[in-house]
Amino acid sequence: PGKASIVVVILFLSTLWVLPMWRIDLRAPQYPGGLSMKIWINDVKGDVDIINGLNHYIGMSTIHKKYFPEFVFLPTTRAIFMSLGLGVLLLNRKVGYYIWTGMFAFIGVFSFYDFYKWEYNYGHNLNPEAPIKVPGMSYQPPLFGYKKLLNFEVLSQPDIAGWFYIGAGVLLVSITIYEWKKNMAK
């Protein structure tokens, strides 16, 4: 597999430390400019205090960096993965590249599952003492895409570093499939 692709993947992943990886945007009549929450590899930023204030009324937990162990293990796992990529680059073996790609896929799927699980708990485990109660209503934000929650329109999507992360995965998987098919044709 191409050594250049390993370097590109490492560069793409390095954006996680300087750019946000995910964003959740909210629009409602009382917030015509919208509200935004940006998730970084080690923090959550944006209109978090306003969102926490609004979510209090429907019984949702507050969002604080300290409640997310992911902000500790995300940077660590990504840094280890990038270091392993340097090892794959130096060893220059196809099997190493394939294993590295498999690891990326596993980490990516696990990360999305973890994010979904957090969103589920966040939107379903509501404080029964909340001032506003809508029977049968849950407030789980979408993992990816659009959802209407009461009078809020919510859009959840990758931010700049998230798109680079996805690009890294597409590159790894594409080259792995290409190399595998090329070897099968021999």
Side-chain angles (χ1 to χ4, degrees), residues 166-180:
I166 291 167
V170 168
L171 181 62
L172 282 172
V173 170
S174 298
I175 289 177
T176 298
I177 291 170
Y178 171 78
E179 289 290 329
W180 182 75

Side-chain angles (χ1 to χ4, degrees), residues 82-163:
M82 291 165 66
S83 299
L84 290 172
L86 293 174
V88 171
L89 181 68
L90 294 172
L91 290 175
N92 197 26
R93 300 277 188 245
K94 286 182 183 180
V95 69
Y97 193 89
Y98 300 156
I99 291 169
W100 197 52
T101 300
M103 288 173 61
F104 184 93
F106 176 80
I107 292 168
V109 168
F110 178 79
S111 296
F112 271 104
Y113 168 75
D114 183 63
F115 188 38
Y116 171 82
K117 192 174 74 173
W118 174 82
E119 285 187 326
Y120 182 88
N121 288 330
Y122 181 68
H124 286 82
N125 296 331
L126 305 174
N127 181 346
E129 304 300 318
I132 299 173
K133 295 180 191 121
V134 180
M137 180 78 178
S138 68
Y139 303 98
Q140 180 179 354
L143 178 64
F144 186 88
Y146 169 85
K147 188 173 186 179
K148 181 109 169 137
L149 297 170
L150 295 177
N151 66 330
F152 279 89
E153 296 182 50
V154 183
L155 180 63
S156 176
Q157 63 188 340
D159 209 324
I160 299 167
W163 287 114

Side-chain angles (χ1 to χ4, degrees), residues 2-67:
K3 290 181 178 185
S5 68
I6 297 170
V7 173
V8 169
V9 166
I10 291 170
L11 289 173
F12 277 14
L13 294 179
S14 68
T15 65
L16 291 167
W17 279 267
V18 294
L19 298 167
M21 62 182 182
W22 206 264
R23 66 182 297 134
I24 299 176
D25 296 306
L26 299 97
R27 301 264 188 262
Q30 66 269 39
Y31 294 97
L35 300 171
S36 183
M37 182 172 67
K38 294 190 175 209
I39 302 169
W40 294 67
I41 194 168
N42 60 357
D43 204 356
V44 59
K45 299 179 181 180
D47 299 310
V48 180
D49 290 337
I50 297 170
I51 293 168
N52 280 338
L54 291 168
N55 289 344
H56 160 78
Y57 291 105
I58 55 175
M60 295 174 91
S61 298
T62 56
I63 300 169
H64 297 288
K65 178 182 176 176
K66 64 184 176 185
Y67 298 149

